[in-house]
Amino acid sequence: MISVALDLMGGDKAPTEILEGAKLSSLSDCKLYLIGTKDALDEIEGYEKIEVDDYLPMDVKPTEILRRKNSSMYVGLKLLKDSVVDAFVSAGNTGALLAGATFVLGRIDSVERPALAVPVPSTNGFTILIDAGANVHVRAEHLLDFAAMGLSFIRVLGRDSPRVGLLNVGEEESKGDETTKEAYQLLKENFAEYFIGNVEGHDINLGKADVVVADGFSGNVAMKTMEGTAKMILQTLKSQVEGAGLFQKLGALLMKKVFSSLKKTLDPRTYGGGFILGVNGVVVKAHGSSDRFAINNALQVAYRGVQMKLVESIRGEIERVRNRGVGG
């Protein structure tokens, strides 16, 4: 049986929505550990409960997790480190979770910078965006590692011949700063069979690449822009239907299934969260604004990560790249 620890105290809507997300979980062969304060755990039945007396607020400095070792986030990572659980899920502060995962779990050999990999909707179903916010400043070698980890992720999700693109300000090889230009050459040399060159922001949702590699600043801006655009589209459709005439409303009623499918595709809650890749354990970062629906999906993401042996797959891909003598 797979076991997953959930940080009840992480996120804008903690602990109520986080707990409700756990209650929605239908994973029959998954054991849930709930980590929270005494008040949050009171009257909860049917789960393994881990009581703590501290938690990290959303605006905390990332390094605070290293000092506050009785916080719900640190305790969850320690449970994963000690093999009490197989995965850990938190909607808490991204920087703190990254710092904690790196410090407590340790990095995979030869990985200097763990990264946040998030599936975003595209015409292919989804595209993996990595890094989506963990590393603001990177070197070209880091972007090469991100590509290797993204390739491992997309393969275990069933894409046998994935395409990798480098997020840039233009498609031409000469575009970008020195870091992206150097990264372009490293990707071309090491992933010639997969690398399709530079891609622009609008290419992500169009499915031009299966894995889009970026520094954390650019990746996070791209992700948040996509989320905002999706919300705008859904809100505009809703307001237009509400203000329409009778015949338009009848037409909208006939299109209800289509609109429901569109809403599900564009809703970031559907994807639950992203993996912090490059550390020795399955760690899922749920969106800070996650509600019960998003948390339920984040638990499923963590479960699949364990099932897919994601960490082992990444170790193999990183070793393959390093054996070619690049990025050491």
Side-chain angles (χ1 to χ4, degrees):
M1 177 179 286
I2 291 173
S3 56
V4 179
L6 175 62
D7 178 9
L8 285 184
M9 312 309 296
D12 298 329
K13 300 175 182 178
T16 304
E17 285 296 304
I18 312 302
L19 175 58
E20 292 303 318
K23 292 178 179 177
L24 285 177
S25 176
S26 58
L27 297 169
S28 58
D29 58 340
C30 180
K31 185 176 183 179
L32 284 182
Y33 286 71
L34 304 184
I35 309 168
T37 61
K38 185 179 186 302
D39 289 343
L41 293 172
D42 271 352
E43 300 181 6
I44 295 176
E45 301 292 341
Y47 302 95
E48 291 288 338
K49 297 188 290 185
I50 308 294
E51 185 177 323
V52 297
D53 57 19
D54 188 22
Y55 63 91
L56 301 174
M58 293 300 287
D59 59 352
V60 72
K61 291 182 178 179
T63 53
E64 276 292 288
I65 189 174
L66 307 182
R67 187 176 65 84
R68 297 165 68 168
K69 296 185 178 181
N70 197 39
S71 64
S72 56
M73 186 182 289
Y74 189 98
V75 169
L77 291 167
K78 192 66 167 57
L79 289 172
L80 181 55
K81 170 69 174 179
D82 295 341
S83 300
V84 176
V85 298
D86 302 301
F88 176 57
V89 176
S90 177
N93 180 282
T94 301
L97 186 60
L98 176 71
T102 303
F103 178 80
V104 177
L105 302 174
R107 297 187 299 267
I108 291 174
D109 287 346
S110 298
V111 173
E112 186 174 337
R113 295 281 188 90
L116 180 61
V118 176
V120 296
S122 72
T123 55
N124 292 333
F126 62 89
T127 294
I128 300 299
L129 177 62
I130 181 171
D131 181 18
N135 302 280
V136 174
H137 303 291
V138 299
R139 299 199 308 270
E141 294 85 357
H142 300 149
L143 294 171
L144 179 66
D145 283 351
F146 297 170
M149 294 189 288
L151 275 170
S152 296
F153 188 10
I154 202 78
R155 283 200 189 101
V156 296
L157 291 176
R159 302 260 176 101
D160 294 328
S161 299
R163 297 159 299 166
V164 177
L166 177 64
L167 187 62
N168 209 330
V169 295
E171 294 184 355
E172 298 83 359
E173 185 173 343
S174 60
K175 287 293 181 72
D177 58 16
E178 291 307 311
T179 298
T180 51
K181 289 177 184 177
E182 185 180 349
Y184 187 105
Q185 297 304 319
L186 288 176
L187 290 168
K188 186 166 69 172
E189 293 167 9
N190 286 273
F191 299 114
E193 65 271 46
Y194 305 116
F195 185 53
I196 62 170
N198 291 325
V199 296
E200 297 180 74
H202 58 74
D203 294 319
I204 301 174
N205 297 123
L206 293 177
K208 185 173 182 179
D210 300 291
V211 177
V212 173
V213 177
D215 63 83
F217 181 87
S218 302
N220 189 263
V221 169
M223 181 181 68
K224 295 292 176 60
T225 301
M226 286 183 276
E227 290 176 355
T229 302
K231 289 179 181 178
M232 182 198 70
I233 291 171
L234 295 173
Q235 289 174 3
T236 301
L237 281 172
K238 183 179 179 180
S239 64
Q240 289 294 319
V241 170
E242 289 175 347
L246 176 61
F247 289 110
Q248 288 91 340
K249 286 182 178 178
L250 287 174
L253 184 62
L254 294 173
M255 294 284 286
K256 185 177 180 180
K257 287 187 178 180
V258 174
F259 289 149
S260 295
S261 178
L262 176 64
K263 181 178 180 181
K264 183 177 180 180
T265 299
L266 296 179
D267 191 344
R269 299 178 305 166
T270 302
Y271 299 91
F275 289 105
I276 291 183
L277 301 182
V279 296
N280 290 305
V282 175
V283 179
V284 172
K285 169 64 178 76
H287 203 294
S289 61
S290 291
D291 60 8
R292 63 192 67 188
F293 180 71
I295 292 298
N296 176 35
N297 285 328
L299 291 170
Q300 295 184 47
V301 168
Y303 180 87
R304 290 197 299 270
V306 177
Q307 272 192 323
M308 296 182 304
K309 300 185 183 301
L310 182 59
V311 175
E312 292 82 353
S313 175
I314 288 172
R315 285 196 187 105
E317 189 63 39
I318 292 293
E319 183 178 358
R320 185 192 72 79
V321 172
R322 288 295 182 261
N323 285 341
R324 297 179 65 168
V326 177

